[in-house]
Amino acid sequence: MSPPHGAIWYEVQHLKDYAQNAVIITCSRTPSVAEGWNAVFQAFPDEPWGVYCARDTASTPGSLQKLAGHMWNASRDYSIEVALMSWTYPIGGGLYNSFGFTRAAIDRFGLFDENIYPAFFEDNDFQIRQARMQPPMRVQVLPDVIMHHGKPNEQGYMSGVHTPNDPNNEEQERSMGSHWQERVEINKAYLNRKWGCQDRDFGGCQYQTPFNKTLPVWYWYTSKHQRALDNGLSANGSHILDGEGNTVYARPPGDNYKGWSGYNESAHVCRITGRVGVVARNASGMWCV
């Protein structure tokens, strides 16, 4: 969560009123979705299962108890590796707004790809990797675990890209919306390059391994070049600039970022995925993967 404490930090504090052994991880900078998930996976390596959900989801009465029963059974008999929830209305592409994961599944699947920054398409990479694992991951939708997404009366799914504008700061909202839309296109281009996909046809990707190389399905790494793009990416007309003002991609008319991979594969590696469960803590208090 954002330093010193993001808005949701105060909400999460209330968990301590209802649960024992509640641990809140606060990062020195705002993590991406993948970084946040990975930090939790590695901070608690001995837990047999976990459940992850977006902040704008809520379980219907009794669903959490039923979910816990399913996950405890799955951690013992390996009948389920990934548990998906049922929803109060058809949620379409938002199916992974909440999911359960066993430790055995994490050990097979590895960590989420942190090149997908700050959010969007983690679930698509997740599903592509699931289908290519041998044997494929055991995924099951739980019909008796029912979740709701969004405000209480909403009946249609909208992602965070489409959040309503703040009438008190419309310019900031437009800037934020533009930045998020850029990241959507950049992350999509990265995923297409990683798996040989075409646009959003993630069910028809050509590669069976990352970048069509002799690599395990769970492999990914981040580079200094990729992080420079993440931390300072901006658009100036048809040019995409990094934090130092250098042109990293000149977008042809109508290209919509399709010609740009999103990062330089040959750049210096600053992080490589390793054995799940390796955790360090630095002076700032951030869990380091």
Side-chain angles (χ1 to χ4, degrees):
M1 286 171 278
S2 303
H5 300 303
I8 195 174
W9 184 87
Y10 299 97
E11 301 174 19
V12 173
Q13 288 292 326
H14 291 297
L15 289 175
K16 295 180 178 180
D17 298 331
Y18 302 98
Q20 296 179 346
N21 302 321
V23 177
I24 299 173
I25 299 177
T26 304
C27 299
S28 59
R29 61 176 177 80
T30 304
S32 67
V33 169
E35 289 172 329
W37 286 350
N38 290 344
V40 175
F41 292 149
Q42 298 216 52
F44 302 97
D46 298 324
E47 294 296 331
W49 58 271
V51 176
Y52 308 90
C53 60
R55 63 172 296 185
D56 53 355
T57 59
S59 62
T60 58
S63 286
L64 288 180
Q65 184 174 7
K66 294 173 182 176
L67 174 59
H70 286 296
M71 297 307 297
W72 279 118
N73 290 334
S75 67
R76 289 189 289 263
D77 62 17
Y78 305 104
S79 57
I80 304 172
E81 289 183 296
V82 180
L84 301 177
M85 318 307 171
S86 298
W87 297 86
T88 53
Y89 57 80
I91 200 165
L95 191 61
Y96 278 83
N97 271 272
S98 181
F99 62 93
F101 218 16
T102 65
R103 172 56 57 180
I106 296 172
D107 289 341
R108 285 218 299 142
F109 174 81
L111 300 175
F112 285 85
D113 190 339
E114 294 177 13
N115 290 299
I116 301 172
Y117 176 94
F120 305 114
F121 297 104
E122 300 90 359
D123 50 351
N124 300 108
D125 184 66
F126 189 9
Q127 293 173 77
I128 293 170
R129 289 161 70 178
Q130 287 176 25
R132 285 157 174 72
M133 299 187 72
Q134 296 298 327
M137 298 195 78
R138 294 181 291 279
V139 182
Q140 182 174 325
V141 177
L142 306 176
D144 58 346
V145 178
I146 303 172
M147 303 284 290
H148 183 78
H149 180 276
K151 298 177 181 179
N153 297 322
E154 286 184 352
Q155 295 296 313
Y157 175 68
M158 298 183 72
S159 75
V161 175
H162 304 99
T163 52
N165 289 336
D166 180 356
N168 298 317
N169 200 335
E170 294 185 0
E171 183 176 350
Q172 177 177 313
E173 288 290 331
R174 283 194 297 269
S175 176
M176 184 180 299
S178 176
H179 172 75
W180 278 102
Q181 190 58 45
E182 287 178 3
R183 294 309 310 178
V184 167
E185 298 298 335
I186 290 164
N187 289 342
K188 181 179 68 175
Y190 167 73
L191 206 61
N192 288 342
R193 183 168 182 265
K194 179 179 179 180
W195 295 107
C197 315
Q198 296 295 321
D199 199 41
R200 290 178 180 262
D201 182 19
F202 298 121
C205 302
Q206 299 177 9
Y207 301 162
Q208 294 301 306
T209 57
F211 311 106
N212 204 29
K213 294 186 176 183
T214 307
L215 298 167
V217 171
W218 50 259
Y219 178 89
W220 58 267
Y221 70 76
T222 58
S223 69
K224 287 185 177 180
H225 183 263
Q226 175 71 4
R227 279 336 213 180
L229 298 179
D230 293 342
N231 293 329
L233 194 71
S234 62
N236 183 4
S238 62
H239 289 70
I240 305 301
L241 310 177
D242 64 16
E244 298 177 350
N246 301 312
T247 297
V248 295
Y249 181 62
R251 181 162 61 92
D255 179 76
N256 199 26
Y257 302 97
K258 291 181 181 178
W260 183 42
S261 65
Y263 89 120
N264 184 354
E265 186 182 345
S266 63
H268 176 69
V269 175
C270 63
R271 180 179 296 173
I272 302 177
T273 53
R275 180 174 62 85
V276 175
V278 178
V279 181
R281 194 165 191 174
N282 61 20
S284 68
M286 180 179 178
W287 288 98
C288 300
V289 179

